[in-house]
Amino acid sequence: MTTEPAATTEPSALDPAEKVDLWRQRFFEAQAAAEEFVLGEHGEEGLAAWIQANSRITAKLLQAQRPAGVSATDHFMTRLQRQLMLYDSAVTSEPRPSGTVLRNADCGILRYRKRAARAGVVLTFSSPCSYCQELNTAIAARYVEPEVTVSCEQAGDGCTWRAEPAQAEGEDAAGSPHRGRAGD
């Protein structure tokens, strides 16, 4: 008596929206695992060191990837806007004579994490906002032109990022300013 091999079926191809969702999920899983590991093994000091290492690596990548004729500030703000748009954030960019304002009225990253928490995913941070702000201002400090200040202000389920000329010493800037490039 012969047995027939079990029928195998090829998985159907993912449509573009399914691919996007899967990449978001995989990135989220990797990020959450890294956060949990760093905090569990090294605590808040380890997380601060991880942010500094991540910002150093990202700033170097941005330097290598910057298109000719584009300022580091414009490149940074475009990258931040595109990152937020990956998660379907309600984000707009407002170029102004004094600099660029990036308004994130409804953060898709925050929305995505809230949905994951409702689905039972244990999150490392109650909100991704402070991590995102610390990481991206650290990247800006290493990458944008020295005469530029990048700051972020939280606003409900979103935030407002500003890239503006650095204020003179003694002036109080809104948000958490980071000026020019920091040492590697």
Side-chain angles (χ1 to χ4, degrees):
M1 178 167 161
T2 61
T3 60
E4 300 209 13
T8 60
T9 59
E10 293 295 318
S12 60
L14 299 174
D15 69 41
E18 289 173 318
K19 286 181 181 181
V20 168
D21 286 344
L22 187 57
W23 275 111
R24 283 181 188 155
Q25 180 182 344
R26 293 301 178 257
F27 178 79
F28 175 78
E29 292 166 352
Q31 181 74 18
E35 291 166 0
E36 182 181 322
F37 175 78
V38 170
L39 279 172
E41 294 293 316
H42 307 287
E44 293 293 327
E45 273 186 27
L47 186 60
W50 186 42
I51 287 171
Q52 289 307 309
N54 193 338
S55 69
R56 185 179 61 252
I57 291 165
T58 302
K60 285 181 181 179
L61 285 171
L62 287 173
Q63 288 168 6
Q65 297 168 348
R66 182 168 42 151
V70 175
S71 73
T73 300
D74 288 345
H75 188 223
F76 171 81
M77 294 298 278
T78 298
R79 175 194 177 271
L80 183 58
Q81 180 180 19
R82 291 175 61 89
Q83 176 181 329
L84 292 167
M85 290 171 66
L86 281 173
Y87 285 85
D88 300 321
S89 296
V91 62
T92 58
S93 180
E94 303 169 15
R96 297 182 176 178
S98 64
T100 300
V101 176
L102 190 65
R103 294 193 193 285
N104 182 13
D106 180 28
C107 184
I109 297 168
L110 183 58
R111 188 177 345 99
Y112 184 84
R113 289 177 64 100
K114 285 180 178 181
R115 188 173 66 233
R118 285 192 303 270
V121 175
V122 177
L123 302 176
T124 308
F125 303 128
S126 59
S127 170
C129 300
S130 60
Y131 172 78
C132 177
Q133 183 176 341
E134 286 181 44
L135 176 60
N136 283 296
T137 53
I139 293 167
R142 293 177 182 279
Y143 181 60
V144 303
E145 293 80 9
E147 66 276 4
V148 174
T149 297
V150 173
S151 62
C152 180
E153 298 171 25
Q154 295 302 126
D157 281 347
C159 55
T160 300
W161 288 86
R162 299 180 191 285
E164 302 171 308
Q167 295 182 357
E169 287 295 319
E171 291 184 39
D172 188 25
S176 58
H178 292 269
R179 304 191 196 304
R181 288 194 191 133
D184 289 326

